Amino acid sequence: MTWVTGADGSPYGVTNLPYGVFRTDGGQPRIGVRIGSWVLDLAAAEAADLVLAAGTLCRPTLNDFMALGRPQWTAVRQRITELLTDPAHRAAVEPLLVPLEGVELLLPIEVADYVDFYSSEHHASNVGQIFRPGQPPLLPNWKHLPIGYHGRAGTVVVSGTPVVRPTGQRPSADGPVTGPSVRLDIEAEVGFVVGVPSPMGQRVAVDDFADHVFGVVLVNDWSARDIQAWEYQPLGPFLGKSFATSVSAWVTPLDALGDAFVPAPDQDPPVVDYLRDVPHLGLDLRLVVEWNGEQVSEPPFATMYWTPAQQLAHLTVNGASLRTGDLYASGTVSGPDRSQVGSFLELTWGGAEPVKVGDETRTFLADGDTVTITATAPGPDGTTIALGEVTGTVRPAV
């Protein structure tokens, strides 16, 4: 129970407590934690010695706090929980609560590197059938390693940032043409934020996942399918992906998701040693995709073939270092049914099967369209935890 007005029973209650960065009236960025429809100003709390985190909560991003490591993350979370549940602290803490409706939410981390994986068997199979009809949907290496590519950290933006339709080369019957993408799409994903770095030349084992990963965000990896189709062979995605990646304003700490870990799908053939995680666990996150306010899909993250721990181990198996603020995303989350896909490429089967969105018919995104991705996870004692939403509206090409 919390003494904070309206927070009991909220999916942003004391079992959640996601971190973010906010400002009011155009002021300086400040770290806060969400409780119900309020933001607890952690910068002010640390300045008043109510929370101790080596001064890192007075910074403009979460990076310095995340670099402290899991013992400090857990200690600060326990202290925040105490402040928000013990009525003895109410007089000191209540003045530090800011109404959510009065804040501007900012990008919570300074993104160091960004990696995007391709970890849903259902998504990979669907895309294989759409792009390579008549051939095996999965390439021979897919079940042996988590496929991924390096994205562009500088175009990771906070939820609510408008997305300008990208321009680039796309194929036509007469050869490539340059112009705005006409097959603009989304990818509903889950992202993992690295707190503790690792030195170059050192692998990170699957068992060390929780020692390095601070928390989870929702991700929309906007995709220009026509630009992507022309450029992706032989080296993979580039301009079709690098123009914008939207992430939640709130980072849900791993400590909040203890009840959401569930057995991941069986892997056949058996994986190589460095990818063998025991227990083999994924996360029961239930995503919802809305297109112009209409629900069009419910992707289930629990069906992902490759787990977050395996992705982290693979990312570093060659000795690549981790940096505080690294973001790696799961790849598109899709389930076995059409109603569970995480991209409009799949929802409309490559544009061949248009869908109704409100009173209009769509294959891919039109200017002015808004996409919002939300997610929930099971919490303790039958409660529900919400992840911060990620939303964006398409603006015309420039």
Side-chain angles (χ1 to χ4, degrees), residues 198 201-205 311-322:
S198 66
Q202 178 176 303
R203 302 178 182 182
V204 174
Q311 292 166 6
L312 187 68
H314 186 63
L315 193 158
T316 61
V317 70
N318 67 344
S321 60
L322 296 177

Side-chain angles (χ1 to χ4, degrees), residues 62-126:
L62 288 169
N63 289 51
D64 287 344
F65 173 63
M66 296 192 303
L68 295 178
R70 179 149 301 283
Q72 188 69 41
W73 306 339
T74 300
V76 169
R77 177 177 170 83
Q78 290 172 344
R79 177 58 175 166
I80 293 170
T81 302
E82 178 187 347
L83 293 174
L84 296 173
T85 55
D86 187 344
H89 296 297
R90 182 168 186 169
V93 175
E94 195 164 35
L96 308 183
L97 293 174
V98 183
L100 183 63
E101 62 187 17
V103 306
E104 177 189 358
L105 295 173
L106 307 174
L107 189 65
I109 63 171
E110 182 180 350
V111 181
D113 283 309
Y114 169 53
V115 171
D116 193 24
F117 283 97
Y118 189 50
S119 294
S120 165
E121 182 176 2
H122 301 295
H123 172 69
S125 296
N126 288 338

